[in-house]
Amino acid sequence: MSNAEIKNLEDIFEQRIANDEKIEPKDWMPEKYRKTHIRQMSQHAHSEIVGMLPEGNWISRAPSLRRKVALLAKVQDEAGHGLYLYSACETLGVSREELYRQLHSGEAKYSSIFNYPTLTWADMGAIGWLVDGAAIINQVPLCNTSYGPYARAMVRVCKEESFHQRQGYEIMLSLCNGTPEQKEMAQDALNRWWWPSLMMLGPTDDASVHTEQSMKWKLKRKTNDELRQQFIDQTVPQADILGLTIPDPDLKFNEETGSYDFGEIDWDEFWQVVKGHGPCNKERMNARVNAWNEGEWVRDAAVAYAEKQEKRRNKSSQISA
Amino acid sequence: MSDKKNWPLWEIFVRSKNGLEHRHCGSLHASDAEMALANARDVYTRRSEGVSIWVVESEHITASNPENNGELFEPAQDKVYRHPTFYDLPDDVKHM
């Protein structure tokens, strides 16, 4: 194809997105659109998969059966969300094996929040309330994104996600209405998860390299700073109900803007964690790679069994014919 | 990676309740049809989304190419006589 022809196709493509048309797997798309989507969707899928690890840590130690079944169901949902997203990603012509390879080799990124440790049961509350809360704010606009399979996967994800946040908040509520030690545990969890949750919404707009293009493709409908402000504005009153203090001395309601002003985020910490120097980066990756390697014989056995069954079927159909 | 055989991809269709059609809801990997059904149950019907599941190996699906959309679908656009509103009848005619 000549450059002029490609330019023409690109113009038609951009126009379709501007008209709110959806792009489906077999439609022509610019290579950059395909690559950007593979990157974002796979990062999203990886985050769901790695996101199971910090919580999986507490399933066997949940304080009651009610909490245990809820946490188990939540972690199972995360596996499901990872699978919806991987399969949506594969519609762009990248294989599941390649996506796993990228994750396991450390080439692909996942949300840096999962590189923090889960030290107490209250962390299950804080993760559901804050991490899933921030995730929902990130994800709801994606239900309208331009790439059809991604948008459809996100509709399912968002429908299922709201129980995650509510179960987390309920854990916090129980702890805050419990003994002073329990309330202290909840405050400690909030202290540790607050700033990483704000960072989870991504670098500030002036430092975000992908925002402009992603807004055009409706891969993003609000900027990181807008999403962060929305998260803070809706979370502060929730902390008030719990009787907990947000660990930010500069946090203050601004009558003029109707929003909360907040303190400086430690972006050095964010970039350190992104670059692999967070408290649990190595641990998470090792757990993931081990799970994959230790499951290899099961995957091989399943293939061998399927082949044997297939052979038997062929044999018996030959005999009967 | 290794040259080992990987689990193939399956397309999953779920009937949400009797009386409605099966609808495509996504895909997954499984070693055979039986496992594809079991996985589809876990991945796509965790909240009573279905009463019946179909699984089809993705490579068995033949899809039309959007590049041919013109010749495939445009001819229908000028066949307005296939729609009831094409026909002029007096308002007095009832039940039609």
Side-chain angles (χ1 to χ4, degrees):
Chain A
M1 240 185 296
S2 74
N3 284 344
E5 279 170 322
I6 291 176
K7 177 84 181 63
N8 184 35
L9 281 171
E10 277 176 359
D11 288 346
I12 295 170
F13 180 84
E14 299 293 345
Q15 195 50 50
R16 287 183 63 195
I17 292 185
N19 293 342
D20 263 334
E21 276 182 52
K22 296 289 179 198
I23 307 302
E24 294 295 343
K26 293 187 71 142
D27 291 343
W28 184 88
M29 60 186 79
E31 202 41 39
K32 198 173 163 210
Y33 181 90
R34 183 190 304 275
K35 287 219 172 96
T36 302
H37 276 74
I38 290 177
R39 196 192 65 237
Q40 179 166 331
M41 290 160 73
S42 63
Q43 274 180 16
H44 198 159
H46 299 328
S47 300
E48 297 282 356
I49 298 302
V50 178
M52 290 192 281
L53 298 170
E55 290 175 300
N57 181 33
W58 281 93
I59 291 173
S60 62
R61 290 176 287 160
S64 69
L65 186 58
R66 185 175 187 274
R67 293 289 185 225
K68 189 169 179 159
V69 290
L71 187 58
L72 207 47
K74 179 179 192 284
V75 172
Q76 197 189 6
D77 273 351
E78 277 147 16
H81 297 174
L83 293 174
Y84 306 159
L85 289 161
Y86 279 131
S87 78
C89 199
E90 285 175 89
T91 63
L92 288 169
V94 58
S95 72
R96 182 75 59 98
E97 291 70 42
E98 169 59 13
L99 295 172
Y100 284 162
R101 191 199 60 75
Q102 291 174 359
L103 174 64
H104 297 161
S105 68
E107 207 175 299
K109 298 266 177 287
Y110 55 87
S111 185
S112 59
I113 193 106
F114 301 118
N115 291 316
Y116 289 86
T118 46
L119 303 178
T120 73
W121 171 250
D123 288 10
M124 297 304 97
I127 288 180
W129 173 35
L130 301 172
V131 177
D132 287 270
I136 291 169
I137 285 187
N138 238 335
Q139 289 170 350
V140 167
L142 288 173
C143 297
N144 286 314
T145 190
S146 61
Y147 188 56
Y150 194 24
R152 290 192 287 276
M154 289 319 300
V155 169
R156 297 182 70 91
V157 169
C158 287
K159 257 191 215 162
E160 299 180 350
E161 198 89 36
S162 75
F163 117 71
H164 297 183
Q165 197 190 12
R166 289 173 69 100
Q167 70 91 36
Y169 193 77
E170 199 195 74
I171 290 172
M172 294 303 267
L173 207 54
S174 299
L175 291 171
C176 291
N177 292 330
T179 63
E181 289 81 4
Q182 285 172 322
K183 185 159 185 188
E184 205 177 299
M185 205 161 93
Q187 180 67 55
D188 168 63
L190 171 59
N191 292 350
R192 284 181 290 110
W193 290 95
W194 174 254
W195 293 103
S197 299
L198 296 190
M199 295 174 198
M200 199 184 145
L201 293 152
T204 54
D205 293 348
D206 48 331
S208 170
V209 282
H210 303 300
T211 294
E212 201 192 332
Q213 181 67 76
S214 294
M215 295 282 276
K216 216 162 106 193
W217 286 337
K218 299 180 181 174
L219 195 46
K220 212 172 215 184
R221 317 236 40 173
K222 286 180 179 177
T223 69
N224 295 350
D225 288 335
E226 286 170 334
L227 294 171
R228 194 165 10 251
Q229 189 66 57
Q230 185 188 340
F231 175 73
I232 293 169
D233 290 344
Q234 73 183 45
T235 308
V236 174
Q238 294 167 353
D240 290 343
I241 291 174
L242 294 171
L244 295 179
T245 310
I246 303 265
D248 178 1
D250 297 323
L251 189 80
K252 196 167 168 261
F253 189 71
N254 184 329
E255 296 285 350
E256 222 165 279
T257 58
S259 282
Y260 285 87
D261 295 336
F262 53 97
E264 198 70 39
I265 295 174
D266 181 2
W267 290 109
D268 284 343
E269 176 183 323
F270 175 76
W271 291 114
Q272 281 300 313
V273 181
V274 168
K275 287 184 181 127
H277 310 303
C280 299
N281 295 56
K282 282 209 183 80
E283 190 184 328
R284 300 288 182 244
M285 226 6 76
N286 285 343
R288 171 63 203 157
V289 172
N290 284 346
W292 180 251
N293 289 343
E294 282 165 18
E296 189 177 11
W297 69 272
V298 180
R299 294 191 299 276
D300 291 348
V303 169
Y305 176 76
E307 283 171 350
K308 195 168 92 181
Q309 293 296 102
E310 173 87 19
K311 249 184 229 155
R312 265 194 205 156
R313 254 195 312 275
N314 290 344
K315 220 185 217 170
S316 65
S317 67
Q318 274 168 10
I319 292 166
S320 60
Chain B
M1 271 198 168
S2 66
D3 52 355
K4 255 196 269 191
K5 200 179 158 203
N6 292 306
W7 291 359
L9 188 67
W10 300 75
E11 299 301 321
I12 311 303
F13 301 81
V14 171
R15 183 202 297 287
S16 58
K17 61 176 186 182
N18 277 11
L20 295 178
E21 66 279 66
H22 285 77
R23 213 173 143 177
H24 183 246
C25 63
S27 54
L28 50 77
H29 289 265
S31 59
D32 61 14
E34 206 185 331
M35 187 196 279
L37 271 181
N39 288 355
R41 177 247 187 209
D42 288 344
V43 177
Y44 292 107
T45 64
R46 286 193 303 282
R47 289 176 175 77
S48 316
E49 289 94 337
V51 295
S52 164
I53 301 173
W54 286 349
V55 298
V56 183
E57 215 178 317
S58 308
E59 63 172 23
H60 294 315
I61 291 184
T62 308
S64 67
N65 189 332
E67 277 169 34
N68 302 332
N69 276 9
E71 61 209 73
L72 278 176
F73 305 117
E74 272 167 27
Q77 282 169 15
D78 57 11
K79 295 183 175 54
V80 283
Y81 46 85
R82 283 181 172 150
H83 298 280
T85 46
F86 177 73
Y87 302 92
D88 290 326
L89 299 185
D91 291 345
D92 301 345
V93 181
K94 301 293 179 205
H95 307 299
M96 204 179 277

